[in-house]
Amino acid sequence: MALVGFPLWWIAGLSGVIAILAAVPMAVQLARRRRVFVPPGFGWWVLFLVCVVVGVLTLWADAPGAVPGGGASRLMVWGYRVAWYLACTIALLWAANSDPRSVSERRVFQLFGWMFVVTAAGGLLGVLAPTLELRSLVELFLPGGLRSNSLVRGIVHPGVADIQTVLGRPEARPKAPFAFANSWGANISLYLPFFLVAWLKQGKRWQRLAAPLVLAVAAMPIVYSLNRGLWASLGLGAAFVVARQVVRGNVVAIVGTALVGGIAVAAFLLSPLSDLVGERLENQHSNDRRGQLLSQTVSSTFEGSPVIGFGSTRDVQGSFASIAGASTPECPACGVPPLGTQGHIWLVIFSQGFLGTFLFLALFVTSLWRTWRCRTTIETVCTCLLLFFALQMWVYDTLGMPLFTIMLTIGLVWRSQHPDETPYRGPRRRTLQRMVRDVWAARRVYAAAVAIGILVAAVAVVRQPQQSVARTSVLLAPSPVYLTTAIVKASALPRDITIDTEAALVFSAAARDAAASGPAGADDALTDRIRVTAAPRTRVLNIDVRSTDPRRAEAESRSLTERYLELRRDYLEKRRDQMLEGLRDRLAQMDLSSGGADDAEDLSADVRAREREAIDSAINNLILTSTTAGEVVRANSAVEVRKPMGVLVASGIILGIAAAAVLSVLAPRVVQAVSRPGLRRRRLP
């Protein structure tokens, strides 16, 4: 029902949570079973879920390069992602334990094939009526504060397309019936293998006749989506199909595929869509910003919380163009997406750390290892989906229906690989109940490991010196606007001083040497203790200095600010003097040329007089131009920096749990001896 009525759920504003709601009856069905069997690699996934849950302790930790602090909305976003991970887990177990007689593979293929049709229709609607928006039923009952939240609005507010300037002009990128354009691209590619099997291979006659028409209709929004990840996924899928046919040696299928592919490519090249694709491939402007964001995501995680991550995403301090940069209603792209976005793998790295990333990937690697031979249809489809996922997780946030679809497919594959060991015919070796019993039996080991981890974290917190930070805020005076006329060559004009140039001036050796304190004089480590930020879209520069001594932090912050303002004033005066010298040299050249030039080649008297008048006026303006550097608007007292207690405690907990789990697998007898110290082994006679 969740998939059949998906268009209605979208109109109602529930498409973003319908799978979570559908997981509730699935969980009820699983709870009624005496045994719930788990597929290989499920233990890795359970540990990953533990990382996600423990990550709540790190939600308010400050990440390097991110905006400090955070409100209650961060907890809401974390809870939403936890709900999706749990829903995907339930879908995996439900599919693996479902009765093949009531939940057949054919039925699942038809449902996901239907979702391809729905997604293609929504994409076509986004192309034909890109400005269409609806007010959902859920949106009517939400409080105004929630409706204004960008994440909530994207989920509950039905829209058919996102208007973006990817090609330098407004372009509609289809997204219906999902919340975002990239989600549309991920879902339609994952539903395509199901559609091909359900309609072309297993479908009724009318489905086989209608399938080419549906594919032709879907081609239009696929191209207009400007979605390079989707295009790459389809190319990978085509290569996978050809490779499978070559391995099997099916000459007829190879020739048929090549013929159909050639006709499709020729039709595409002759259509106007080919020009749109070529234009999109020429506009790769987002690559640099995406690369900078991903690099900062990894470096921030490695520096701040490599084991457990930061629990959720963080807003970037400033932008990559300027430390005072931020998005505006006129320029939404002027800002930077949060750290941990632009790809599911980056979300996992930033939110769950490198240990969580390893645990996250383990289940999918294990599943791919069991399906890559493609012995059955469901194995072939699952392999194709896992290949798509391996590509898309680098560029798409696939937490949602894409991951839900993949987990369902993995469960069905595992069920099909054990036809003689279904829950209705015989036992299997591993069940969820047994996993719970094993963990409960080894609870002393887990408790001891977690206690040791917390103890080590507490020691690290105590041993870490208490840092204090002093902030001085400076309102910069606007840089003088010099005359940009033909009087002086453009190359001789002084460049405008940006706020990023000012930040670099703060870090200069001249400023640091004057600000450094202590018996050793200049402090080489002062650079690492300085942090310069700016209020978004302002000329207010914030200079922070950290130190273990609060008084020293305050003194260095004041000294650094004073010296910086002196340097800025000297720089402005120097640039003014250079400009004056250039204008006076121009006057001297005019006097020389007027004395030696012929009347025919010389400028007319009135033109020369106007130029001389303009130069004199420019010189007077420069002499009267103020070179004020700025003023200190606030000098805060030093405040203590919060120690990363949440990060250290969460890291200690997850490392303790992981160590106990590994010990339970590698040395079960040791775990048994520790867990049951009162039991003695029977001695042999």
Side-chain angles (χ1 to χ4, degrees):
M1 185 61 183
L3 297 182
V4 174
F6 202 85
L8 298 178
W9 302 128
W10 174 68
I11 294 174
L14 293 172
S15 62
V17 296
I18 189 61
I20 299 176
L21 299 178
V24 175
M26 291 181 180
V28 173
Q29 294 181 18
L30 290 173
R32 293 175 179 175
R33 296 186 184 275
R34 186 169 58 91
R35 291 175 299 181
V36 177
F37 302 100
V38 298
F42 186 73
W44 299 109
W45 183 257
V46 171
L47 288 176
F48 168 72
L49 294 180
V50 174
C51 288
V52 175
V53 174
V54 174
V56 70
L57 300 176
T58 66
L59 286 180
W60 285 273
D62 294 336
V67 177
S73 60
R74 190 172 293 174
L75 184 62
M76 180 184 66
V77 175
W78 172 84
Y80 178 71
R81 293 194 176 110
V82 170
W84 263 114
Y85 280 127
L86 292 178
C88 294
T89 305
I90 294 171
L92 169 67
L93 296 177
W94 179 84
N97 291 269
S98 60
D99 186 353
R101 294 169 294 184
S102 59
V103 186
S104 62
E105 291 182 9
R106 182 183 180 89
R107 182 183 178 186
V108 174
F109 274 73
Q110 287 291 337
L111 288 174
F112 282 129
W114 160 249
M115 283 298 298
F116 177 83
V117 177
V118 171
T119 306
L124 182 62
L125 183 62
V127 173
L128 299 179
T131 59
L132 178 63
E133 293 184 3
L134 303 175
R135 190 173 180 85
S136 68
L137 295 177
V138 175
E139 200 172 1
L140 295 176
F141 295 98
L142 283 179
L146 284 178
R147 287 199 306 268
S148 61
N149 184 278
S150 58
L151 176 63
V152 175
R153 178 176 172 80
I155 295 172
V156 304
H157 184 72
V160 298
D162 286 332
I163 308 300
Q164 300 177 356
T165 56
V166 177
L167 303 179
R169 61 180 183 273
E171 294 285 346
R173 302 185 62 194
K175 64 178 182 179
F178 303 100
F180 306 102
N182 284 346
S183 299
W184 184 90
N187 280 289
I188 197 170
S189 63
L190 293 176
Y191 296 143
L192 178 59
F194 292 100
F195 174 80
L196 296 176
V197 173
W199 285 52
L200 287 177
K201 183 178 179 180
Q202 301 175 351
K204 299 178 181 179
R205 183 178 180 182
W206 71 268
Q207 289 179 315
R208 295 180 181 179
L209 294 176
L213 178 61
V214 175
L215 292 174
V217 170
M220 181 179 295
I222 286 175
V223 174
Y224 275 99
S225 68
L226 304 177
N227 204 317
R228 293 169 296 174
L230 170 59
W231 300 344
S233 298
L234 298 180
L236 178 61
F240 172 74
V241 171
V242 173
R244 288 299 305 163
Q245 293 173 353
V246 171
V247 170
R248 294 181 176 181
N250 193 338
V251 179
V252 176
I254 295 174
V255 174
T257 302
L259 182 61
V260 173
I263 295 175
V265 171
F268 170 75
L269 293 177
L270 294 175
S271 69
L273 299 178
S274 60
D275 297 334
L276 187 64
V277 173
E279 190 176 0
R280 177 65 181 97
L281 295 178
E282 292 176 357
N283 287 269
Q284 306 281 353
H285 54 81
S286 64
N287 290 351
D288 294 338
R289 189 176 71 161
R290 183 187 292 266
Q292 289 177 305
L293 178 66
L294 304 185
S295 175
Q296 187 167 339
T297 296
V298 175
S299 62
S300 180
T301 305
F302 183 80
E303 180 182 350
S305 180
V307 176
I308 193 64
F310 293 99
S312 186
T313 57
R314 298 287 193 279
D315 291 331
V316 178
Q317 180 73 55
S319 69
F320 298 132
S322 172
I323 60 175
S327 60
T328 63
E330 297 78 16
C331 182
C334 293
V336 178
L339 296 173
T341 58
Q342 305 297 301
H344 197 166
I345 189 65
W346 311 112
L347 171 65
V348 175
I349 289 175
F350 190 78
S351 300
Q352 278 73 55
F354 298 108
L355 176 60
T357 304
F358 170 78
L359 298 172
F360 174 80
L361 296 175
L363 173 65
F364 303 106
V365 173
T366 303
S367 301
L368 183 61
W369 177 256
R370 297 178 64 86
T371 63
W372 69 272
R373 294 180 180 85
C374 302
R375 293 164 293 191
T376 61
T377 301
I378 188 64
E379 285 188 1
T380 303
V381 171
C382 186
T383 301
C384 187
L385 262 61
L386 288 173
L387 291 177
F388 286 175
F389 182 68
L391 172 65
Q392 293 176 0
M393 68 179 178
W394 301 93
V395 292
Y396 291 155
D397 295 330
T398 55
L399 181 57
M401 285 302 298
L403 186 60
F404 191 84
T405 303
I406 292 171
M407 297 294 264
L408 269 173
T409 309
I410 292 175
L412 292 176
V413 168
W414 185 74
R415 187 190 70 176
S416 69
Q417 291 175 343
H418 300 80
D420 298 329
E421 298 180 355
T422 61
Y424 312 97
R425 298 184 182 181
R428 286 184 228 182
R429 294 182 300 172
R430 198 66 173 167
T431 65
L432 183 61
Q433 289 80 359
R434 181 180 174 181
M435 291 180 63
V436 174
R437 286 196 302 268
D438 290 344
V439 173
W440 179 252
R443 59 187 180 279
R444 295 184 179 179
V445 175
Y446 280 92
V450 170
I452 294 174
I454 295 177
L455 179 62
V456 172
V459 172
V461 171
V462 172
R463 290 180 59 86
Q464 192 174 53
Q466 179 62 57
Q467 297 277 342
S468 297
V469 60
R471 164 171 292 188
T472 304
S473 299
V474 179
L475 176 61
L476 300 179
S479 300
V481 180
Y482 297 100
L483 298 177
T484 55
T485 64
I487 299 173
V488 181
K489 295 181 179 180
S491 59
L493 292 174
R495 296 181 179 179
D496 188 25
I497 304 174
T498 66
I499 198 166
D500 299 278
T501 306
E502 306 295 349
L505 190 60
V506 175
F507 285 95
S508 64
R512 286 186 290 110
D513 290 344
S517 61
D523 187 357
D524 294 334
L526 180 60
T527 303
D528 299 331
R529 298 189 288 108
I530 299 174
R531 184 169 181 261
V532 180
T533 60
R537 301 185 300 275
T538 68
R539 297 191 63 82
V540 177
L541 202 67
N542 299 318
I543 303 175
D544 298 338
V545 178
R546 288 185 296 107
S547 176
T548 55
D549 184 357
R551 295 182 179 178
R552 180 180 182 183
E554 295 174 2
E556 290 180 338
S557 179
R558 288 194 298 268
S559 301
L560 183 64
T561 303
E562 292 173 359
R563 180 54 178 163
Y564 154 71
L565 291 175
E566 292 177 2
L567 292 174
R568 185 172 195 259
R569 183 173 58 253
D570 293 344
Y571 177 81
L572 294 178
E573 291 177 352
K574 180 179 179 181
R575 296 303 296 168
R576 184 185 64 177
D577 293 342
Q578 291 176 348
M579 193 66 180
L580 285 172
E581 184 179 356
L583 291 173
R584 288 164 178 164
D585 289 343
R586 177 60 177 161
L587 282 178
Q589 293 175 2
M590 291 180 63
D591 293 338
L592 292 176
S593 62
S594 61
D598 297 336
D599 293 338
E601 298 178 356
D602 197 5
L603 296 174
S604 61
D606 57 340
V607 173
R608 184 178 299 278
R610 286 197 299 270
E611 184 175 357
R612 180 181 293 277
E613 182 180 356
I615 294 177
D616 290 335
S617 177
I619 292 175
N620 292 331
N621 288 336
L622 283 174
I623 294 175
L624 297 176
T625 296
S626 173
T627 56
T628 302
E631 61 176 331
V632 176
V633 293
R634 186 183 297 110
N636 296 332
S637 301
V639 295
E640 292 185 351
V641 179
R642 292 183 301 175
K643 294 184 178 181
M645 184 178 300
V647 170
L648 293 175
V649 172
S651 300
I653 292 174
I654 195 60
L655 287 176
I657 294 175
V662 172
L663 186 63
S664 299
V665 174
L666 300 181
R669 294 185 178 181
V670 175
V671 174
Q672 184 178 6
V674 175
S675 301
R676 301 178 181 179
L679 297 180
R680 297 182 179 179
R681 296 181 181 177
R682 295 181 179 179
R683 296 183 180 180
L684 296 177

